Amino acid sequence: MTQPPLTVPATIDVQQATKHIAQNGTPIYVINCPEYEVVRLSFVFHAGSVTQRAPFVASATANMLAEGTEKYSAQQIAERLDYYGSYFDINIDRDYSYITFCSLSKFFPQTAEVINQVILHPTFPSQEVEIYRTKRKQQLAIERRKVETIARENFAKAMFGEQHPYGISYTEERYDTLTSEQIKEHYARRYTAQNCIVVCSGNITDEVLDTIKGIATKIAHGSECGVEDFPAFDTTSERAIQHDGAVQSSIRMGRLLFPRTHPDFIPMQVLSTVLGGYFGSRLMQNLRERNGFTYGVFSAMVNFQQAGYLAIATQVGKEVTERALEEITAEIELLRTQLIPHEELELVKNIMAGEMMRILDGPFGIADVTTENILCGFDNSHIQQNLERIRQTSPEELLTLAQRYLRTEDIVTVVAGDFN
Amino acid sequence: MIKYEQTQLSNGLTVIANRDTASRMAAVNILYKVGARDENPNRTGLAHLFEHLMFRGTHLIPDFDIPVQMACGENNAFTNNDYTDFYITLPCDNLETALWLESDRMTGLNLSAEACEIEKRVVIEEFRQRYLNQPYGDLNMLLREMVYTTHPYRWATIGLSPDHIAEASIEEIHNFYHRFYHPSNAILSISGDIAAERVFDMAEKWFGGIKPNLDFCPSALPTEPKQTTARRLEVERDVPATTIVIAFHMGNRLSKDFYLGDITSDLLAGGDSARLYEHLIKGKSLFASVNAYISGDVDEGMFVFTGQLLPTTTEQDAEAALWEEIRQLQSGEISDYELEKVKNKFEANTLFGELNVMNKAMNLGYYSMIGDLPLINREIAIYRSLTKEQIADFSRHTFTQENSSTLIYRAKR
């Protein structure tokens, strides 16, 4: 039968977040979706690993917020949240820590009591720090048996520099030196009103909002914001790491570019999607479909607060490592020398529009996108602008960008595997 | 509560519709009642290989992905021991594109020698990446082979060996397609802002002309004999920490034991306040991680305890600690508060899972597959009705030495 007609959505309507300011200056952004009987509340602190003064302190602080507070033990916190079916999620990257709570609307007041303790009154007991240290040390040791972890860590070192806060990684043994004092110091310095935004979504009634304000306004004032000592990047173009017995090699290629606020970020996102951003992308067609070298290969633009980069990642059979590297290089070369056919570019644009719609489906997704926008200094009208910017991108523009940004000599290549 | 309406086309295709007025997206799920259980023991991994082949295009639509993506859609699939599931999410306005694609690949798949060869290589790389090149990658394979002697749950979905995949012939692949991919072995479920009547009309339009396979009968599976003595396997691998696994046979998906097993696993390991974490990681500091879960299969499945030891813990102490947890359950040491907690948690997770169209479409297909669609809205009440006496009784008849299989996955010194 014949193909049914298609509609491509021209607009994505996303409500603006309503902004409130707590008395201490903490901004609170509200996405009200009263049709869902849930509340999701996120606290984002500028307290990622770039702001830490000793190894693993930033992640330990975020991960241990709920491991004991003035009023409740770690067990009581877990117990209370579990009892009401509420949960929380902790994410940390180089720049920020994200602490997110979800509860059914009917149990929000009980959940808020716990949130209050976790955000405002954590105690980081030494005994819990000790358990955490041992557990994480072992987990990290296991992670580092995987070629993909080795490649990922070495890619950051190659791009930013071994000692740069965006590039550095520490041996698992450094967990032994982590102390409760270091964590308390980090908390006092970075979990402050100046370094915080609050984003909530779901059924945010006046009562719920008052409760949230009550917590936010008690976040302490601090003196430090921004990042001290942010050195220049020191890029090396190649790293190869031997890992005995690996049947596959993990490959990371890419280059340092610019953060999301740069005018070329969106078109570079289009270009990276053409290259490896979807299932039928050029790299997938080549490495997986035509050559069977790999189960998957991906490329994407990655955004940090003070940097951004293009990354290509894959795992390939050990014996085809060299050929895979050649094929990836050839695909990049093609972007630099030939216009992308209109049909292919249309496809990529529709994929990107669909992806935005999918992420924005439901209150939690809207909150995530809102958070990302705020951290980059945008509001939610940016979503529609992004969609239009994607639509405007032409094959000619992408060719120019590829020639400017994807020169062979600028590409960083990292391989972890068994080279014997 | 998920509202739905269902119908069956004259060729046997089951169609289920859920209306979601809050979303601009629609989810189209098609479930085929075929999984690793339907494989020949000498040709394992075929169901999963076939899931991959379903994306290789047809004579009419040579590339499956491009029309999905042109419609701003996304699609994927998974295979397990019991079934194979394909799903597409896309703007609701483009719903018919998904039906056009799914109906087309139910009959017109292009199974050329070349397509099969390439896909076999991809799957073999997947085998290597996820099972051979991963610390603990073969653990579940070893466990299955010990727990099951007869039933096809003996092998994982990926198969027993990459050789089985490499050696699969074109003819075997064709036979598999004709035997399992047809309307009477499939369930189509759709969630989106569209009336059930419209969904049924569209299903008739796109799938109504496909011929049923009148000779089809489901695989007759061998019954796993009752285990009568404890089993044990010890292996040594190049991993950083020793892991202990103890598995027990338990009831099938529609038995009361399924719910008792599930709630017991929640008592033990559902969240950071659960018993195993509190007792064995925090209290006794024996494990780096510890878990209890049910395999959740349609036929009689497994209840599994697993723990990764800290370097200072002996295997004997670790094993004894797991059996001590079992003893406490068997003697009924369960508080009302604790039981209420896991029931609340189950209810909340069910509601959180009903927030998007994809989960709903997928769940509707699943419950229809196990043969009791209304169960989708009855489970909260079933969990609410369970008592601590029933849990203790379940623990006494399930967690016995003679029903146990213990795997010591030892870190090489």
Side-chain angles (χ1 to χ4, degrees), chain A residues 1 7 67 79 82-83 128 138 146 247-248 289 291 350 358 361, chain B residues 23 70 89 94 118 121 125 129 205 241 273 282 309 341 344-345:
Chain A
M1 282 200 273
T7 323
E67 296 296 306
E79 204 56 77
D82 279 350
Y83 189 83
E128 299 287 350
Q138 186 158 326
K146 300 178 187 169
V247 297
Q248 286 184 318
E289 304 297 303
N291 285 303
N350 287 2
R358 239 180 307 281
D361 189 27
Chain B
S23 183
M70 281 307 284
T89 55
N94 292 336
I118 289 177
R121 284 168 65 188
E125 279 311 312
Q129 179 170 328
K205 171 180 167 191
S273 77
K282 295 223 149 167
L309 277 57
K341 177 180 73 179
N344 284 346
K345 209 172 158 71

PDB file of all heavy atoms in Angstrom, chain A residues 1 7 67 79 82-83 128 138 146 247-248 289 291 350 358 361, chain B residues 23 70 89 94 118 121 125 129 205 241 273 282 309 341 344-345:
ATOM      1  N   MET A   1       0.843  -1.196   0.000  1.00  0.00           N
ATOM      2  CA  MET A   1       0.000   0.000   0.000  1.00  0.00           C
ATOM      3  C   MET A   1       0.875   1.242   0.000  1.00  0.00           C
ATOM      4  O   MET A   1       2.038   1.195   0.388  1.00  0.00           O
ATOM      5  CB  MET A   1      -0.894  -0.013   1.247  1.00  0.00           C
ATOM      6  CG  MET A   1      -2.091  -0.957   1.085  1.00  0.00           C
ATOM      7  SD  MET A   1      -3.411  -0.585   2.232  1.00  0.00           S
ATOM      8  CE  MET A   1      -2.919  -1.526   3.652  1.00  0.00           C
ATOM      9  N   THR A   7       3.161  14.847   8.260  1.00  0.00           N
ATOM     10  CA  THR A   7       3.098  16.210   8.777  1.00  0.00           C
ATOM     11  C   THR A   7       4.367  16.442   9.583  1.00  0.00           C
ATOM     12  O   THR A   7       4.713  15.617  10.427  1.00  0.00           O
ATOM     13  CB  THR A   7       1.921  16.366   9.775  1.00  0.00           C
ATOM     14  OG1 THR A   7       0.838  15.573   9.305  1.00  0.00           O
ATOM     15  CG2 THR A   7       1.508  17.789   9.925  1.00  0.00           C
ATOM     16  N   GLU A  67      22.892  10.796  53.220  1.00  0.00           N
ATOM     17  CA  GLU A  67      23.500   9.754  54.068  1.00  0.00           C
ATOM     18  C   GLU A  67      23.599  10.205  55.525  1.00  0.00           C
ATOM     19  O   GLU A  67      24.586   9.916  56.195  1.00  0.00           O
ATOM     20  CB  GLU A  67      24.884   9.385  53.527  1.00  0.00           C
ATOM     21  CG  GLU A  67      24.878   8.769  52.151  1.00  0.00           C
ATOM     22  CD  GLU A  67      24.155   7.426  52.099  1.00  0.00           C
ATOM     23  OE1 GLU A  67      24.491   6.526  52.877  1.00  0.00           O
ATOM     24  OE2 GLU A  67      23.230   7.299  51.279  1.00  0.00           O
ATOM     25  N   GLU A  79      14.140   5.185  54.380  1.00  0.00           N
ATOM     26  CA  GLU A  79      12.915   4.605  54.898  1.00  0.00           C
ATOM     27  C   GLU A  79      11.711   5.503  54.592  1.00  0.00           C
ATOM     28  O   GLU A  79      10.699   5.057  54.068  1.00  0.00           O
ATOM     29  CB  GLU A  79      13.126   4.515  56.411  1.00  0.00           C
ATOM     30  CG  GLU A  79      12.337   3.518  57.178  1.00  0.00           C
ATOM     31  CD  GLU A  79      12.472   2.106  56.703  1.00  0.00           C
ATOM     32  OE1 GLU A  79      13.508   1.477  56.990  1.00  0.00           O
ATOM     33  OE2 GLU A  79      11.539   1.610  56.063  1.00  0.00           O
ATOM     34  N   ASP A  82      11.054   5.841  50.788  1.00  0.00           N
ATOM     35  CA  ASP A  82      10.503   4.582  50.291  1.00  0.00           C
ATOM     36  C   ASP A  82       9.058   4.391  50.746  1.00  0.00           C
ATOM     37  O   ASP A  82       8.213   3.931  50.001  1.00  0.00           O
ATOM     38  CB  ASP A  82      11.339   3.386  50.786  1.00  0.00           C
ATOM     39  CG  ASP A  82      12.584   3.180  49.930  1.00  0.00           C
ATOM     40  OD1 ASP A  82      12.685   3.829  48.870  1.00  0.00           O
ATOM     41  OD2 ASP A  82      13.446   2.384  50.320  1.00  0.00           O
ATOM     42  N   TYR A  83       8.797   4.770  51.982  1.00  0.00           N
ATOM     43  CA  TYR A  83       7.463   4.526  52.541  1.00  0.00           C
ATOM     44  C   TYR A  83       6.386   5.250  51.724  1.00  0.00           C
ATOM     45  O   TYR A  83       5.302   4.714  51.508  1.00  0.00           O
ATOM     46  CB  TYR A  83       7.393   4.972  54.003  1.00  0.00           C
ATOM     47  CG  TYR A  83       6.110   4.544  54.668  1.00  0.00           C
ATOM     48  CD1 TYR A  83       5.981   3.257  55.189  1.00  0.00           C
ATOM     49  CD2 TYR A  83       5.008   5.397  54.732  1.00  0.00           C
ATOM     50  CE1 TYR A  83       4.790   2.837  55.762  1.00  0.00           C
ATOM     51  CE2 TYR A  83       3.819   4.992  55.313  1.00  0.00           C
ATOM     52  CZ  TYR A  83       3.713   3.705  55.822  1.00  0.00           C
ATOM     53  OH  TYR A  83       2.538   3.285  56.385  1.00  0.00           O
ATOM     54  N   GLU A 128      29.702   6.865  57.491  1.00  0.00           N
ATOM     55  CA  GLU A 128      29.084   6.709  56.171  1.00  0.00           C
ATOM     56  C   GLU A 128      30.097   7.020  55.070  1.00  0.00           C
ATOM     57  O   GLU A 128      30.082   6.413  54.009  1.00  0.00           O
ATOM     58  CB  GLU A 128      27.862   7.620  56.036  1.00  0.00           C
ATOM     59  CG  GLU A 128      26.744   7.365  57.039  1.00  0.00           C
ATOM     60  CD  GLU A 128      25.961   6.085  56.743  1.00  0.00           C
ATOM     61  OE1 GLU A 128      26.155   5.492  55.669  1.00  0.00           O
ATOM     62  OE2 GLU A 128      25.163   5.675  57.609  1.00  0.00           O
ATOM     63  N   GLN A 138      35.756   0.302  44.784  1.00  0.00           N
ATOM     64  CA  GLN A 138      35.584  -0.982  44.097  1.00  0.00           C
ATOM     65  C   GLN A 138      34.833  -0.802  42.774  1.00  0.00           C
ATOM     66  O   GLN A 138      35.213  -1.376  41.758  1.00  0.00           O
ATOM     67  CB  GLN A 138      34.847  -1.952  45.015  1.00  0.00           C
ATOM     68  CG  GLN A 138      34.753  -3.350  44.453  1.00  0.00           C
ATOM     69  CD  GLN A 138      34.534  -4.382  45.550  1.00  0.00           C
ATOM     70  OE1 GLN A 138      35.017  -4.246  46.660  1.00  0.00           O
ATOM     71  NE2 GLN A 138      33.805  -5.434  45.241  1.00  0.00           N
ATOM     72  N   LYS A 146      36.886  -1.790  31.868  1.00  0.00           N
ATOM     73  CA  LYS A 146      36.191  -1.701  30.591  1.00  0.00           C
ATOM     74  C   LYS A 146      36.949  -0.745  29.678  1.00  0.00           C
ATOM     75  O   LYS A 146      37.275   0.375  30.078  1.00  0.00           O
ATOM     76  CB  LYS A 146      34.763  -1.166  30.785  1.00  0.00           C
ATOM     77  CG  LYS A 146      33.919  -2.027  31.690  1.00  0.00           C
ATOM     78  CD  LYS A 146      32.542  -1.417  31.877  1.00  0.00           C
ATOM     79  CE  LYS A 146      31.747  -2.189  32.909  1.00  0.00           C
ATOM     80  NZ  LYS A 146      30.530  -1.490  33.311  1.00  0.00           N
ATOM     81  N   VAL A 247      38.890  -8.012  23.647  1.00  0.00           N
ATOM     82  CA  VAL A 247      38.555  -8.505  22.313  1.00  0.00           C
ATOM     83  C   VAL A 247      38.033  -7.380  21.418  1.00  0.00           C
ATOM     84  O   VAL A 247      37.931  -7.518  20.225  1.00  0.00           O
ATOM     85  CB  VAL A 247      37.543  -9.680  22.333  1.00  0.00           C
ATOM     86  CG1 VAL A 247      38.121 -10.875  23.053  1.00  0.00           C
ATOM     87  CG2 VAL A 247      36.226  -9.273  22.957  1.00  0.00           C
ATOM     88  N   GLN A 248      37.709  -6.243  22.060  1.00  0.00           N
ATOM     89  CA  GLN A 248      37.316  -5.082  21.278  1.00  0.00           C
ATOM     90  C   GLN A 248      38.153  -3.873  21.694  1.00  0.00           C
ATOM     91  O   GLN A 248      38.619  -3.800  22.828  1.00  0.00           O
ATOM     92  CB  GLN A 248      35.853  -4.733  21.524  1.00  0.00           C
ATOM     93  CG  GLN A 248      34.876  -5.684  20.867  1.00  0.00           C
ATOM     94  CD  GLN A 248      33.458  -5.221  21.078  1.00  0.00           C
ATOM     95  OE1 GLN A 248      33.097  -4.787  22.154  1.00  0.00           O
ATOM     96  NE2 GLN A 248      32.640  -5.306  20.041  1.00  0.00           N
ATOM     97  N   GLU A 289      26.563  -1.167   9.277  1.00  0.00           N
ATOM     98  CA  GLU A 289      25.771  -1.816   8.234  1.00  0.00           C
ATOM     99  C   GLU A 289      26.648  -2.374   7.112  1.00  0.00           C
ATOM    100  O   GLU A 289      26.458  -3.497   6.680  1.00  0.00           O
ATOM    101  CB  GLU A 289      24.750  -0.830   7.667  1.00  0.00           C
ATOM    102  CG  GLU A 289      23.816  -0.226   8.720  1.00  0.00           C
ATOM    103  CD  GLU A 289      22.943  -1.261   9.411  1.00  0.00           C
ATOM    104  OE1 GLU A 289      22.209  -1.963   8.710  1.00  0.00           O
ATOM    105  OE2 GLU A 289      23.001  -1.359  10.658  1.00  0.00           O
ATOM    106  N   ASN A 291      30.152  -2.644   7.063  1.00  0.00           N
ATOM    107  CA  ASN A 291      31.359  -3.383   7.427  1.00  0.00           C
ATOM    108  C   ASN A 291      31.204  -4.355   8.602  1.00  0.00           C
ATOM    109  O   ASN A 291      32.065  -5.200   8.810  1.00  0.00           O
ATOM    110  CB  ASN A 291      32.491  -2.400   7.738  1.00  0.00           C
ATOM    111  CG  ASN A 291      33.061  -1.784   6.468  1.00  0.00           C
ATOM    112  OD1 ASN A 291      33.513  -2.514   5.589  1.00  0.00           O
ATOM    113  ND2 ASN A 291      33.015  -0.470   6.359  1.00  0.00           N
ATOM    114  N   ASN A 350      14.268  16.527  10.540  1.00  0.00           N
ATOM    115  CA  ASN A 350      13.049  15.943  11.108  1.00  0.00           C
ATOM    116  C   ASN A 350      13.358  15.093  12.336  1.00  0.00           C
ATOM    117  O   ASN A 350      12.608  15.078  13.304  1.00  0.00           O
ATOM    118  CB  ASN A 350      12.316  15.107  10.064  1.00  0.00           C
ATOM    119  CG  ASN A 350      11.644  15.962   9.019  1.00  0.00           C
ATOM    120  OD1 ASN A 350      11.749  17.185   9.052  1.00  0.00           O
ATOM    121  ND2 ASN A 350      10.959  15.331   8.090  1.00  0.00           N
ATOM    122  N   ARG A 358       9.925  14.545  21.675  1.00  0.00           N
ATOM    123  CA  ARG A 358       9.907  13.402  22.577  1.00  0.00           C
ATOM    124  C   ARG A 358      10.405  13.798  23.966  1.00  0.00           C
ATOM    125  O   ARG A 358       9.828  13.434  24.971  1.00  0.00           O
ATOM    126  CB  ARG A 358      10.773  12.271  22.022  1.00  0.00           C
ATOM    127  CG  ARG A 358      10.012  10.977  21.785  1.00  0.00           C
ATOM    128  CD  ARG A 358      10.925   9.911  21.229  1.00  0.00           C
ATOM    129  NE  ARG A 358      11.617  10.427  20.063  1.00  0.00           N
ATOM    130  CZ  ARG A 358      11.071  10.517  18.861  1.00  0.00           C
ATOM    131  NH1 ARG A 358       9.832  10.104  18.662  1.00  0.00           N
ATOM    132  NH2 ARG A 358      11.744  11.005  17.842  1.00  0.00           N
ATOM    133  N   ASP A 361       7.859  15.711  25.943  1.00  0.00           N
ATOM    134  CA  ASP A 361       6.575  15.057  26.188  1.00  0.00           C
ATOM    135  C   ASP A 361       6.458  14.727  27.674  1.00  0.00           C
ATOM    136  O   ASP A 361       7.146  13.842  28.167  1.00  0.00           O
ATOM    137  CB  ASP A 361       6.493  13.779  25.334  1.00  0.00           C
ATOM    138  CG  ASP A 361       5.102  13.179  25.364  1.00  0.00           C
ATOM    139  OD1 ASP A 361       4.137  13.943  25.570  1.00  0.00           O
ATOM    140  OD2 ASP A 361       4.982  11.959  25.194  1.00  0.00           O
TER     141      ASP A 361
ATOM    142  N   SER B  23      -1.006  14.197  25.461  1.00  0.00           N
ATOM    143  CA  SER B  23       0.237  14.110  24.699  1.00  0.00           C
ATOM    144  C   SER B  23       0.029  14.403  23.225  1.00  0.00           C
ATOM    145  O   SER B  23      -1.015  14.088  22.656  1.00  0.00           O
ATOM    146  CB  SER B  23       0.818  12.702  24.858  1.00  0.00           C
ATOM    147  OG  SER B  23       2.054  12.619  24.181  1.00  0.00           O
ATOM    148  N   MET B  70      11.680  10.457   8.978  1.00  0.00           N
ATOM    149  CA  MET B  70      11.044  11.553   8.248  1.00  0.00           C
ATOM    150  C   MET B  70       9.750  11.965   8.947  1.00  0.00           C
ATOM    151  O   MET B  70       9.325  13.102   8.870  1.00  0.00           O
ATOM    152  CB  MET B  70      10.739  11.144   6.801  1.00  0.00           C
ATOM    153  CG  MET B  70      11.928  11.187   5.855  1.00  0.00           C
ATOM    154  SD  MET B  70      12.823  12.756   5.842  1.00  0.00           S
ATOM    155  CE  MET B  70      11.724  13.796   4.889  1.00  0.00           C
ATOM    156  N   THR B  89       7.618   5.640  18.517  1.00  0.00           N
ATOM    157  CA  THR B  89       6.917   6.821  19.033  1.00  0.00           C
ATOM    158  C   THR B  89       7.068   7.920  17.999  1.00  0.00           C
ATOM    159  O   THR B  89       8.145   8.107  17.438  1.00  0.00           O
ATOM    160  CB  THR B  89       7.488   7.318  20.376  1.00  0.00           C
ATOM    161  OG1 THR B  89       8.880   7.557  20.230  1.00  0.00           O
ATOM    162  CG2 THR B  89       7.266   6.315  21.485  1.00  0.00           C
ATOM    163  N   ASN B  94       1.145  11.552  12.639  1.00  0.00           N
ATOM    164  CA  ASN B  94       1.820  10.640  11.703  1.00  0.00           C
ATOM    165  C   ASN B  94       1.613   9.157  12.037  1.00  0.00           C
ATOM    166  O   ASN B  94       2.348   8.295  11.557  1.00  0.00           O
ATOM    167  CB  ASN B  94       3.315  10.945  11.665  1.00  0.00           C
ATOM    168  CG  ASN B  94       3.596  12.294  11.028  1.00  0.00           C
ATOM    169  OD1 ASN B  94       2.794  12.792  10.241  1.00  0.00           O
ATOM    170  ND2 ASN B  94       4.723  12.890  11.385  1.00  0.00           N
ATOM    171  N   ILE B 118      25.438  -9.695   7.026  1.00  0.00           N
ATOM    172  CA  ILE B 118      25.849  -8.465   7.725  1.00  0.00           C
ATOM    173  C   ILE B 118      25.250  -8.433   9.128  1.00  0.00           C
ATOM    174  O   ILE B 118      25.919  -8.155  10.109  1.00  0.00           O
ATOM    175  CB  ILE B 118      25.437  -7.215   6.927  1.00  0.00           C
ATOM    176  CG1 ILE B 118      26.323  -7.121   5.682  1.00  0.00           C
ATOM    177  CG2 ILE B 118      25.578  -5.956   7.775  1.00  0.00           C
ATOM    178  CD1 ILE B 118      25.985  -5.983   4.763  1.00  0.00           C
ATOM    179  N   ARG B 121      26.985 -10.601  11.603  1.00  0.00           N
ATOM    180  CA  ARG B 121      28.230 -10.024  12.116  1.00  0.00           C
ATOM    181  C   ARG B 121      27.958  -8.981  13.188  1.00  0.00           C
ATOM    182  O   ARG B 121      28.673  -8.890  14.183  1.00  0.00           O
ATOM    183  CB  ARG B 121      29.036  -9.417  10.966  1.00  0.00           C
ATOM    184  CG  ARG B 121      29.724 -10.498  10.145  1.00  0.00           C
ATOM    185  CD  ARG B 121      30.291  -9.970   8.852  1.00  0.00           C
ATOM    186  NE  ARG B 121      31.367  -8.999   9.063  1.00  0.00           N
ATOM    187  CZ  ARG B 121      31.904  -8.288   8.066  1.00  0.00           C
ATOM    188  NH1 ARG B 121      31.465  -8.440   6.839  1.00  0.00           N
ATOM    189  NH2 ARG B 121      32.872  -7.448   8.317  1.00  0.00           N
ATOM    190  N   GLU B 125      29.194  -9.157  17.093  1.00  0.00           N
ATOM    191  CA  GLU B 125      29.893  -8.058  17.796  1.00  0.00           C
ATOM    192  C   GLU B 125      29.155  -7.695  19.089  1.00  0.00           C
ATOM    193  O   GLU B 125      29.756  -7.390  20.094  1.00  0.00           O
ATOM    194  CB  GLU B 125      30.040  -6.817  16.913  1.00  0.00           C
ATOM    195  CG  GLU B 125      31.200  -6.870  15.932  1.00  0.00           C
ATOM    196  CD  GLU B 125      32.532  -7.278  16.557  1.00  0.00           C
ATOM    197  OE1 GLU B 125      32.923  -6.725  17.611  1.00  0.00           O
ATOM    198  OE2 GLU B 125      33.187  -8.176  16.011  1.00  0.00           O
ATOM    199  N   GLN B 129      30.728  -7.593  22.670  1.00  0.00           N
ATOM    200  CA  GLN B 129      30.752  -6.351  23.441  1.00  0.00           C
ATOM    201  C   GLN B 129      30.048  -6.508  24.783  1.00  0.00           C
ATOM    202  O   GLN B 129      30.513  -6.025  25.795  1.00  0.00           O
ATOM    203  CB  GLN B 129      30.103  -5.223  22.634  1.00  0.00           C
ATOM    204  CG  GLN B 129      30.050  -3.893  23.374  1.00  0.00           C
ATOM    205  CD  GLN B 129      29.635  -2.751  22.463  1.00  0.00           C
ATOM    206  OE1 GLN B 129      29.930  -2.738  21.267  1.00  0.00           O
ATOM    207  NE2 GLN B 129      28.941  -1.775  23.012  1.00  0.00           N
ATOM    208  N   LYS B 205      -7.523  -1.266   8.104  1.00  0.00           N
ATOM    209  CA  LYS B 205      -7.049  -0.776   6.814  1.00  0.00           C
ATOM    210  C   LYS B 205      -5.637  -1.313   6.510  1.00  0.00           C
ATOM    211  O   LYS B 205      -5.371  -1.767   5.400  1.00  0.00           O
ATOM    212  CB  LYS B 205      -7.042   0.756   6.818  1.00  0.00           C
ATOM    213  CG  LYS B 205      -6.363   1.388   5.610  1.00  0.00           C
ATOM    214  CD  LYS B 205      -6.408   2.922   5.707  1.00  0.00           C
ATOM    215  CE  LYS B 205      -5.470   3.559   4.676  1.00  0.00           C
ATOM    216  NZ  LYS B 205      -5.289   4.995   4.925  1.00  0.00           N
ATOM    217  N   ALA B 241      36.300  -8.210  41.884  1.00  0.00           N
ATOM    218  CA  ALA B 241      35.650  -8.636  43.123  1.00  0.00           C
ATOM    219  C   ALA B 241      34.853  -9.918  42.908  1.00  0.00           C
ATOM    220  O   ALA B 241      34.210 -10.084  41.866  1.00  0.00           O
ATOM    221  CB  ALA B 241      34.718  -7.544  43.627  1.00  0.00           C
ATOM    222  N   SER B 273      16.366   1.638  51.595  1.00  0.00           N
ATOM    223  CA  SER B 273      15.981   1.297  52.955  1.00  0.00           C
ATOM    224  C   SER B 273      15.666  -0.193  53.062  1.00  0.00           C
ATOM    225  O   SER B 273      15.255  -0.668  54.106  1.00  0.00           O
ATOM    226  CB  SER B 273      14.757   2.113  53.377  1.00  0.00           C
ATOM    227  OG  SER B 273      13.576   1.580  52.790  1.00  0.00           O
ATOM    228  N   LYS B 282      25.475  -1.760  54.886  1.00  0.00           N
ATOM    229  CA  LYS B 282      25.671  -0.785  55.963  1.00  0.00           C
ATOM    230  C   LYS B 282      25.983  -1.460  57.289  1.00  0.00           C
ATOM    231  O   LYS B 282      26.968  -1.142  57.929  1.00  0.00           O
ATOM    232  CB  LYS B 282      24.434   0.078  56.101  1.00  0.00           C
ATOM    233  CG  LYS B 282      24.206   0.924  54.874  1.00  0.00           C
ATOM    234  CD  LYS B 282      23.824   2.306  55.245  1.00  0.00           C
ATOM    235  CE  LYS B 282      24.310   3.290  54.202  1.00  0.00           C
ATOM    236  NZ  LYS B 282      23.697   4.603  54.389  1.00  0.00           N
ATOM    237  N   LEU B 309      31.286  -9.126  46.780  1.00  0.00           N
ATOM    238  CA  LEU B 309      31.963  -9.094  48.072  1.00  0.00           C
ATOM    239  C   LEU B 309      32.968  -7.952  48.178  1.00  0.00           C
ATOM    240  O   LEU B 309      33.599  -7.577  47.198  1.00  0.00           O
ATOM    241  CB  LEU B 309      32.734 -10.413  48.294  1.00  0.00           C
ATOM    242  CG  LEU B 309      31.934 -11.588  48.836  1.00  0.00           C
ATOM    243  CD1 LEU B 309      30.759 -11.921  47.950  1.00  0.00           C
ATOM    244  CD2 LEU B 309      32.849 -12.796  48.976  1.00  0.00           C
ATOM    245  N   LYS B 341       5.193  -0.248  53.337  1.00  0.00           N
ATOM    246  CA  LYS B 341       6.154   0.529  52.553  1.00  0.00           C
ATOM    247  C   LYS B 341       6.321  -0.044  51.145  1.00  0.00           C
ATOM    248  O   LYS B 341       6.236   0.685  50.153  1.00  0.00           O
ATOM    249  CB  LYS B 341       7.501   0.552  53.286  1.00  0.00           C
ATOM    250  CG  LYS B 341       8.604   1.256  52.535  1.00  0.00           C
ATOM    251  CD  LYS B 341       9.915   1.251  53.306  1.00  0.00           C
ATOM    252  CE  LYS B 341      10.553  -0.115  53.292  1.00  0.00           C
ATOM    253  NZ  LYS B 341      11.831  -0.171  54.001  1.00  0.00           N
ATOM    254  N   ASN B 344       3.231   0.631  49.106  1.00  0.00           N
ATOM    255  CA  ASN B 344       3.144   2.028  48.654  1.00  0.00           C
ATOM    256  C   ASN B 344       4.062   2.269  47.468  1.00  0.00           C
ATOM    257  O   ASN B 344       3.725   2.952  46.510  1.00  0.00           O
ATOM    258  CB  ASN B 344       3.571   2.989  49.772  1.00  0.00           C
ATOM    259  CG  ASN B 344       2.500   3.145  50.829  1.00  0.00           C
ATOM    260  OD1 ASN B 344       1.349   2.763  50.623  1.00  0.00           O
ATOM    261  ND2 ASN B 344       2.874   3.686  51.977  1.00  0.00           N
ATOM    262  N   LYS B 345       5.242   1.702  47.592  1.00  0.00           N
ATOM    263  CA  LYS B 345       6.254   1.916  46.569  1.00  0.00           C
ATOM    264  C   LYS B 345       5.814   1.300  45.239  1.00  0.00           C
ATOM    265  O   LYS B 345       5.987   1.899  44.183  1.00  0.00           O
ATOM    266  CB  LYS B 345       7.557   1.285  47.043  1.00  0.00           C
ATOM    267  CG  LYS B 345       8.778   1.973  46.499  1.00  0.00           C
ATOM    268  CD  LYS B 345      10.022   1.410  47.189  1.00  0.00           C
ATOM    269  CE  LYS B 345      11.233   1.652  46.315  1.00  0.00           C
ATOM    270  NZ  LYS B 345      11.627   3.055  46.260  1.00  0.00           N
TER     271      LYS B 345
END
